[in-house]
Amino acid sequence: MAFTPDGRPIPPAHADERTMLESWLEFQRATLATKVAGLDDRQVRLVAVPPSTMTLLGLVQHLAEVERTWYQRVFAGLEVPPVYGADNPDGYVLDPGRGAAEALARWRAEIDLGRELTASASLDAAGPLSAGAAAALGSETVSLRWILVHLVEEYARHNGHADLLRECVDGVTGV
């Protein structure tokens, strides 16, 4: 496996569909971790582009919630509470007592659980959507393939936010 200079795994140029999807998701996850690396708890809390309240720490927390939603709630059909409580269902709200290390550990734990839940599943295996999501999508279920593509897109979008936030925090840029 090849790696970028900053240590992110480069997805293979040729692979089967599942390997390709999972490799691109891992690359996007590693990109988020890179955007947060080396910053202290004050820096990950900085709001860089008012009036937005988005922060790097909020993005990590949000993506932990995204992982939980798509793997546990949708794919596995589990009824689990929001990662950061019912009053913070999207994960963006910061808690003064929770820093980057704790949020990153929670995010990684959600990733690990998602991997466990899908390890032996076919890309065609499906999970149930909420009534609202089903109405919007026009289907009561989505396949693991759909979930993986969606997660790559979700991370890529938020990594664009993270890149801008990081540049505002300390000037660091990069892919």
Side-chain angles (χ1 to χ4, degrees), residues 32 36 44 54-65 90-92 94 107 158-163 165:
L32 179 66
V36 178
V44 296
M54 187 177 292
T55 65
L56 286 165
L57 181 57
L59 282 175
V60 170
Q61 292 180 173
H62 172 67
L63 287 161
E65 187 63 47
D90 62 8
Y92 284 114
L94 305 183
W107 171 64
H158 287 312
N159 282 337
H161 300 137
D163 197 37
L165 288 164

Side-chain angles (χ1 to χ4, degrees), residues 23 31 49 51 57 59 89 95 99 104 126 129 131-132 142 144 147 156 162 164:
S23 296
T31 298
V49 189
L57 181 57
L59 282 175
D95 178 327
L104 286 164
L129 289 168
V142 291
L144 178 56
I147 291 168
L164 293 171

